Amino acid sequence: MRGHCPRISAQESIFRIQFMVENSEFLPSGKPKISTMEMRGIVKRFPGVLANDQVDFDVQSGEMHALLGENGAGKSTLMRVLYGLYQPEEGEILIDGTPVKIESPHDAIEAGIGMIHQHFMLVPTLTVAENVALGLPSTRGALTDLDNVSARVLELAELYGLQVDPDAYVWQLAVGQQQRVEIIKALYRGAALLILDEPTAVLTPQEVNELFVTLRQMMVDGHALIFISHKLQEVMDICSRVTVLRDGRVVGQEPIDQVTKGTLAQMMVGRELQAKPEKEETEQENVRLALRDVWADNDLGTPGLHGVSFDLRAGEILGVAGVSGNGQRELAQAINGLRDITKGSVKAGERDLTGASPAEIIEQGVSYVPEERMEDGMIKEFTVAENLILREVNKPPFSRGGFLNFRAISRQSEDLIKQFNVKTPSKDTPVKNLSGGNIQKLLLARELSRKPKVIVAAQPTRGLDIGATEYVHQVLTDQRAEGTAILLISEDLDEILALSDRIIVIYEGEIMGEVDAGEADPEQLGLLMAGVRSQTGE
Amino acid sequence: MQAFFIRHPKVWRAFDILLPFLATLAALGVGAVMLMAFDANPVVAYGALLEGAFGSTNAIADTLVKATPLLLVALGICIAFRGGVINIGGEGQLVLGALASTLVGLTFPDMPGYLIIPLALFVGFLAGGFWGAIPGFLKAYFNVNEILSTIMMNAIAVQGMNYLLKEPMIDPVQLEAASRIPQTARLSAAFDLPRLVPTRLHLGTALAIIAAILVFIFLWRTVVGYRIRAVGMNASASRYAGINVPRNIVLALALSGAFCGLAGAIQVFGLHHRMFTDGSATGFTGSAGFNGIVVALFGQLHPLGAIPASFLFGALIVGANKLQRVMQVPASFIIALNGLVVVFVVSADYWRRRMARRREAEVVSEELISSEAEVPT
C-alpha cells in the first residue's frame, strides 16, 4: 500500500486527491476506500434492556452520516458493536457487500474502521509520534522507528490539512490539536471509515469550524464518516444523511435536506419540544453575591483564579462561559467554601463569606449544583430519601434531638419525587441505580427545596438528554422569576445564550469581558473564550 | 441460577445469609484433608470440635464468653469501616480499656460494685476511645495512614502495659513472694460482673448484645451515624454537604477504639478479674483485637450480623482447642484452620457481592422500565 503514496508537494497533492477521488479506489492516505458499510438487523441486549432492536444503518464513501439520539437511545451501543467492543446477538455487518466478523477493535482497525472517542485516548507525557506509534509493531523489531512514524505523520498532516508537530508533547497541545492527533492516529492505522463520537463537545466555536473544514475535505477524499451528536445545528451543517435512534430503534433515516431541526428534535424525544423558556422581567436590584478580586489555587497549587470580580443580583442569571478547565471549577468551589480563597473577598449581601465553612455558606442560602454530580453532589450508595436530606440532616423536621425522623424524611422525598417528576423505582432505591437525568433532577430538587437566595449551577445539563435539559432550563428560569440570583457556569454556549441576562467569559482564571446577553454573538464570545480580549478592553 | 433468584427474592435472601456458613463448611472440608494428612480421622476430630463448642452447658457458656470480646471489637470495626477508616488497633485499644478499668477497680477497692462496675466500664470505654482518637486525629488533619498508625499504637500500648504490670501496678503479693509475675492484684469480688447461669457466662455477654443493637441504632437512626456513613461512602460529597469531614473521621476511630476498650474492661471485670501480661498483647487479648476484624467482615460489617458471626468464631476457637487436645494434632493446625475459614468467608463474600450487583442491575432496570411506563409525560 505504501507504494501508492510517495512524498509529494501540497500543490501536487491537491491534484492528486482530485484525480484519486474520481478515479481511484484509494484514499489520499494510500489505503483502499470502504465504498459501503452496512449494519443489518443489529440486536444487542443488556440485562433488562434492549439497547439495539433490529437496527439497520449504513454509510458510504464520501458521505457523513449523522447518528442522532438522546442518551441511552443506543447510539454508543451501535457504534461499539461496529468497533468490535460489543458482540451483537443478531444481525450482520457488511463491508463492500461482504459479511465481516468484527470481534475486537483490532478486527475493526484491520477492516479500515477508526474511532475518535469523545475522551481522547492519548498519553499526555508522550510525543505525538510516540502516541501514534503506540501499540503498533515497529518495522525495526525491538527498536522504535519513530523517525519513520514522524515522517508519515507529517505526510498525513499535509495530505489532510491537519497541522501538527510530530515531536510536540501531547500535554503541550490544545484540545483541538489533540483531536487532530486522534484523527491522524486513526488515519495512520489505515482508517477509511471514521466514527466521530461527539467530536465538538470540547471545542471552541473556532475549533469546530476548523474541524469541519477537515471533515469536509475527508468526505471529498472518499472517506466514510459517522458523526454522533446531539447538537442539531451541527448535524444540519455538515452531514449528508441522518439516522435517529430512540429506545434502541431507528425512528427515522432521511437525507439532510428532507428534515429540519424541529423534526429531528421531535424524532429524538418522540414529542413536541416546548418553546424556549420565556424570560420574565424581573427586579434586578439587590446584589446577592459579590466577588472582589478573588484568587484561589487549582489542584496543582498554582493560581487557578486570577482576581475574579463580579456582582450577582437577585432575579438574574449570570452566565459564565468558557472552555473547560479555565477556572470554572475553582470558581464554583471558592464561592461554596470548598476551596481556599488566597486573596480577595466573597460577600453574600452584607455578610462576608470569605473563608467561611461550607456549612456556614449553606446556612446563608447558597445552593450549589456541582459539576461532578455523582462524585460531589450525591452519595451514590445512599438511597434517594437519604440523599435528599444530605445538606439538612441536622435540621428539623428531618431530625430531632439527634435522631432521624423517618416519617418527615419519607414525606419530603415523596413530595420532591412527585414535584420534580423523578423516575425511580422507590424512595429507597440507591441513587447509583438512577439515570443521569434523574440524578440531576434529585439534586435540583434538594437544592431548590431549601428556597435558596443564590444558586451556583455548574454544568447543570452536561450529559443530560434533551428532555432533561429542557426541564433543568425551565427550573432555572422559574427560579429566576422568583427572584433567585443564579450563577450559571456552562461550557455549552447555546445554553448560556438562551438563559443568561448577562454573560462573563472566563479564560485561564480571568474574566475576559462581560457582554449583555441581548447583544452577545457567538463569534465574539468564541474569541473571548480563546483568550482574545475585545478591542475596547485593551 | 440468577434467573431463579430474581423470581424468588426470599430464596436469594436466605442464600445470602447462609453463604458464610456454607463457606465455613467448605473450609472445614479442606481442614478434613489436612487432618487426614496427620492420620487423624476428620469425623472424630470435628465431633470433638462440636462437642467442645456445644457439647454441654459449660461448653456453650465458654463459647459465649469467647464470643463476647469478639463481638465488641467487631462493633468498633463496623463503625470504623462505615466511616471509611480501617482500625487495626483493636489490640492496643483493648489493652488500654482493660488497664484503665483495672486502675479504677484497684483505686476504689471498698466502694460498692453497682457504682464501680459502671464507672470502670465507662472509663475503659473512654480510654479505648482516646487510644483510637489519636490515629484518627493524625489521619484527619495530617493524612497519616491509619493502618500504620493504629498498628504502631498497638506496640506502644503493649509496652506500656508490660511496664505498668511489672512496676507500678504489680500485685503486692508478687513483690513479697519475689516471683514478680507481671499481673495486678485480683480485683475485689464485689466488682465481678454477675454470672448469668452457674457457669463462666457473665453479664458482659448480654451487654455486648445490647451494645450491638445500640450501634445499629446509632449508625442508621441518628444524625451523627448518618454523617459518619456519609463521610465513609463519599468524603467529597460530604464536604460539599457541609459535613465536617475531619471531625467525623476522628469520631469514627474514637468510637471504634471505645468499643474495643469496652471489650477490654469487660474481659477484666467479667472473666479475669485482674490484668496480666505474657509480654505480648495476645496473652491478655487472645488476639480478639484482630479476630474481631474477621468477625466484622463475616457479619458483613453490620452490627447485628456481628452477633451470630462472633458466636460462630467463639465456637470455632473453643471447639478447636478441644479438637487439638483430643486428636493430639499440632497447635498450628488450629491456626491454619482459622485462616482457612477467613479465606473462604472473605472470598464467598466477594462472590456474593458480585452476583448481587448483577442481579440488582437486572431487577432495577426492569423496575425502571415499568416505572417509566407509569409516569405520564
Side-chain angles (χ1 to χ4, degrees):
Chain A
M1 289 302 127
R2 283 271 167 100
H4 287 275
C5 196
R7 292 254 230 148
I8 44 174
S9 77
Q11 189 60 46
E12 271 175 16
S13 74
I14 292 171
F15 289 124
R16 220 190 147 90
I17 288 163
Q18 283 167 350
F19 174 78
M20 284 201 294
V21 168
E22 285 151 31
N23 300 300
S24 171
E25 294 174 1
F26 295 98
L27 297 162
S29 61
K31 300 290 173 185
K33 286 179 184 171
I34 289 180
S35 41
T36 59
M37 188 290 298
E38 271 184 272
M39 302 178 84
R40 283 193 196 151
I42 300 292
V43 175
K44 177 70 197 167
R45 278 188 203 90
F46 292 110
V49 187
L50 192 53
N52 283 159
D53 183 7
Q54 296 290 343
V55 175
D56 295 327
F57 185 77
D58 71 287
V59 61
Q60 269 139 34
S61 162
E63 76 160 350
M64 171 119 77
H65 193 158
L67 190 56
L68 262 179
E70 297 202 276
N71 291 325
K75 299 175 300 213
S76 315
T77 307
L78 188 66
M79 288 302 108
R80 279 162 179 255
V81 166
L82 179 56
Y83 198 59
L85 292 163
Y86 292 153
Q87 297 309 309
E89 269 85 39
E90 285 171 41
E92 55 178 354
I93 301 172
L94 294 90
I95 290 182
D96 294 336
T98 321
V100 287
K101 269 244 158 270
I102 300 178
E103 285 175 343
S104 68
H106 182 79
D107 291 354
I109 293 166
E110 286 283 288
I113 298 169
M115 186 155 178
I116 309 299
H117 295 271
Q118 193 178 351
H119 304 285
F120 302 146
M121 309 283 175
L122 297 172
V123 183
T125 50
L126 297 182
T127 65
V128 170
E130 284 168 339
N131 266 288
V132 170
L134 206 63
L136 293 178
S138 162
T139 53
R140 294 170 57 202
L143 303 172
T144 58
D145 56 352
L146 287 173
D147 289 345
N148 287 335
V149 175
S150 291
R152 177 73 177 146
V153 166
L154 276 178
E155 196 174 70
L156 287 169
E158 205 170 308
L159 281 169
Y160 286 88
L162 293 159
Q163 292 321 312
V164 68
D165 172 9
D167 299 320
Y169 284 94
V170 164
W171 60 264
Q172 298 171 321
L173 303 180
V175 178
Q177 291 172 309
Q178 293 189 16
Q179 191 169 51
R180 277 180 230 155
V181 177
E182 282 282 18
I183 296 175
I184 285 183
K185 222 170 90 183
L187 292 172
Y188 188 94
R189 285 159 169 74
L193 187 161
L194 265 190
I195 306 165
L196 298 137
D197 186 4
E198 305 210 13
T200 61
V202 288
L203 305 182
T204 62
Q206 281 79 4
E207 286 174 325
V208 170
N209 287 339
E210 286 170 31
L211 173 69
F212 281 7
V213 170
T214 306
L215 294 181
R216 284 205 180 93
Q217 185 58 49
M218 290 177 78
M219 266 193 278
V220 173
D221 292 345
H223 282 275
L225 302 173
I226 302 173
F227 187 83
I228 305 175
S229 182
H230 52 232
K231 291 187 182 165
L232 300 173
Q233 188 58 51
E234 289 177 356
V235 168
M236 299 295 293
D237 284 349
I238 188 165
C239 295
S240 35
R241 274 197 298 156
V242 56
T243 294
V244 182
L245 285 182
R246 193 172 75 229
D247 298 333
R249 277 186 293 271
V250 175
V251 291
Q253 196 159 56
E254 308 273 353
I256 207 75
D257 46 17
Q258 304 285 308
V259 292
T260 63
K261 269 169 44 171
T263 53
L264 284 180
Q266 242 181 69
M267 277 194 245
M268 274 167 76
V269 296
R271 64 188 163 84
E272 290 271 357
L273 282 175
Q274 292 161 9
K276 248 185 199 176
E278 284 281 317
K279 271 196 243 169
E280 287 175 40
E281 284 297 311
T282 52
E283 288 272 325
Q284 302 181 350
E285 289 299 313
N286 297 330
V287 174
R288 286 271 175 86
L289 189 71
L291 271 71
R292 288 293 172 268
D293 190 30
V294 169
W295 290 68
D297 286 350
N298 59 24
D299 292 342
L300 299 174
T302 56
L305 290 180
H306 298 250
V308 170
S309 304
F310 61 78
D311 284 338
L312 176 63
R313 296 186 180 83
E316 79 163 345
I317 295 181
L318 176 59
V320 180
V323 179
S324 84
N326 273 293
Q328 291 96 326
R329 214 172 128 247
E330 288 80 4
L331 176 62
Q333 292 182 340
I335 293 171
N336 285 286
L338 298 167
R339 190 172 284 273
D340 288 341
I341 293 169
T342 48
K343 195 179 151 208
S345 72
V346 177
K347 276 187 177 174
E350 288 303 299
R351 173 102 180 221
D352 190 355
L353 290 184
T354 319
S357 73
E360 288 164 318
I361 293 167
I362 294 168
E363 201 64 35
Q364 288 306 305
V366 180
S367 273
Y368 177 30
V369 178
E371 184 176 333
E372 302 287 346
R373 31 184 179 273
M374 280 307 254
E375 285 73 31
D376 296 339
M378 290 277 164
I379 295 182
K380 52 181 190 279
E381 294 85 356
F382 274 21
T383 65
V384 168
E386 283 177 313
N387 268 295
L388 281 171
I389 55 160
L390 188 58
R391 300 185 90 179
E392 292 191 291
V393 62
N394 54 336
K395 304 228 173 63
F398 306 128
S399 64
R400 282 180 205 284
F403 282 87
L404 299 176
N405 179 353
F406 283 94
R407 194 186 288 174
I409 292 169
S410 2
R411 198 178 319 121
Q412 163 89 349
S413 54
E414 274 156 18
D415 287 354
L416 290 178
I417 286 170
K418 203 177 290 169
Q419 192 187 334
F420 284 78
N421 194 14
V422 180
K423 285 171 191 165
T424 170
S426 86
K427 65 179 170 50
D428 300 317
T429 305
V431 159
K432 64 179 173 193
N433 293 334
L434 267 53
S435 70
N438 282 302
I439 289 172
Q440 189 69 326
K441 282 184 184 174
L442 271 187
L443 224 165
L444 283 168
R446 182 179 75 211
E447 295 306 307
L448 299 183
S449 64
R450 307 172 42 227
K451 305 257 176 278
K453 290 189 187 132
V454 175
I455 298 173
V456 178
Q459 320 294 354
T461 60
R462 180 192 277 168
L464 301 189
D465 59 34
I466 292 190
T469 299
E470 199 179 63
Y471 186 84
V472 170
H473 287 174
Q474 190 58 53
V475 165
L476 290 176
T477 321
D478 291 349
Q479 282 293 314
R480 172 185 174 276
E482 284 176 27
T484 312
I486 299 169
L487 188 70
L488 172 67
I489 302 172
S490 176
E491 283 149 26
D492 183 346
L493 207 46
D494 294 335
E495 174 170 274
I496 295 259
L497 286 166
L499 297 180
S500 311
D501 296 283
R502 288 184 298 137
I503 299 169
I504 53 179
V505 179
I506 192 165
Y507 174 76
E508 295 201 332
E510 256 181 279
I511 303 295
M512 297 302 286
E514 182 188 319
V515 261
D516 201 276
E519 299 154 11
D521 77 294
E523 206 62 24
Q524 179 200 2
L525 288 174
L527 284 172
L528 289 171
M529 281 160 71
V532 183
R533 239 181 239 284
S534 52
Q535 281 78 1
T536 50
E538 295 294 283
Chain B
M1 195 158 89
Q2 292 282 354
F4 177 78
F5 276 141
I6 290 170
R7 261 181 283 122
H8 302 279
K10 275 186 188 161
V11 182
W12 167 11
R13 263 274 169 78
F15 181 76
D16 280 356
I17 290 169
L18 277 179
L19 197 60
F21 297 95
L22 297 176
T24 310
L25 284 182
L28 294 180
V30 177
V33 176
M34 286 164 55
L35 281 169
M36 284 189 274
F38 288 121
D39 282 332
N41 183 339
V43 177
V44 180
Y46 286 138
L49 186 145
L50 279 180
E51 206 200 310
F54 307 112
S56 64
T57 320
N58 266 320
I60 295 173
D62 272 358
T63 294
L64 286 170
V65 166
K66 213 51 172 183
T68 301
L70 293 178
L71 175 54
L72 286 165
V73 171
L75 295 178
I77 302 301
C78 284
I79 298 174
F81 262 89
R82 295 283 172 183
V85 278
I86 296 172
N87 180 11
I88 314 285
E91 291 278 281
Q93 293 145 7
L94 203 145
V95 163
L96 253 279
L99 279 173
S101 60
T102 308
L103 208 55
V104 172
L106 291 175
T107 313
F108 308 104
D110 304 322
M111 302 273 273
Y114 62 83
L115 276 182
I116 289 307
I117 293 174
L119 177 71
L121 295 188
F122 184 63
V123 168
F125 185 80
L126 288 184
F130 168 70
W131 213 240
I134 296 171
F137 180 80
L138 293 173
K139 163 86 177 176
Y141 294 97
F142 300 99
N143 203 20
V144 176
N145 184 307
E146 78 277 17
I147 299 181
L148 294 178
S149 59
T150 48
I151 290 175
M152 291 188 220
M153 295 295 284
N154 284 346
I156 299 171
V158 170
Q159 296 315 321
M161 166 178 76
N162 286 344
Y163 164 71
L164 288 174
L165 296 186
K166 275 177 195 155
E167 301 288 340
M169 284 173 73
I170 195 167
D171 187 352
V173 178
Q174 293 295 334
L175 278 183
E176 278 169 31
S179 54
R180 297 193 71 104
I181 296 172
Q183 63 180 29
T184 65
R186 193 200 188 284
L187 296 175
S188 153
F191 302 160
D192 290 2
L193 283 180
R195 300 273 160 121
L196 295 180
V197 276
T199 54
R200 298 210 298 161
L201 187 62
H202 54 79
L203 186 68
T205 309
L207 289 180
I209 291 171
I210 294 169
I213 297 165
L214 290 179
V215 169
F216 168 73
I217 293 172
F218 169 74
L219 280 175
W220 274 278
R221 298 280 185 270
T222 69
V223 173
V224 183
Y226 174 97
R227 285 183 168 161
I228 286 182
R229 285 189 300 122
V231 168
M233 289 288 187
N234 185 339
S236 141
S238 302
R239 207 161 86 86
Y240 154 85
I243 296 173
N244 187 329
V245 173
R247 190 192 295 163
N248 279 285
I249 288 176
V250 179
L251 186 62
L253 265 173
L255 278 171
S256 183
F259 279 95
C260 297
L262 181 62
I266 284 182
Q267 284 300 85
V268 170
F269 282 73
L271 190 62
H272 301 304
H273 309 297
R274 61 154 51 101
M275 188 69 191
F276 59 90
T277 178
D278 67 353
S280 72
T282 322
F284 176 76
T285 64
S287 290
F290 291 127
N291 285 334
I293 301 173
V294 180
V295 169
L297 289 172
F298 198 102
Q300 292 165 16
L301 293 172
H302 195 290
L304 301 182
I307 298 175
S310 62
F311 184 68
L312 191 88
F313 263 77
L316 205 63
I317 293 170
V318 173
N321 287 336
K322 172 99 176 179
L323 181 155
Q324 197 220 335
R325 279 199 306 277
V326 172
M327 305 305 291
Q328 294 295 311
V329 289
S332 47
F333 168 75
I334 303 305
I335 300 170
L337 191 65
N338 224 324
L340 275 173
V341 173
V342 172
V343 168
F344 271 76
V345 168
V346 172
S347 312
D349 194 56
Y350 176 78
W351 181 74
R352 180 189 65 82
R353 276 173 214 231
R354 222 176 48 173
M355 293 292 121
R357 257 204 304 278
R358 278 194 211 160
R359 258 172 284 160
E360 245 172 44
E362 289 194 26
V363 172
V364 166
S365 56
E366 276 165 23
E367 279 178 1
L368 261 182
I369 287 164
S370 53
S371 75
E372 300 212 354
E374 283 161 21
V375 179
T377 40

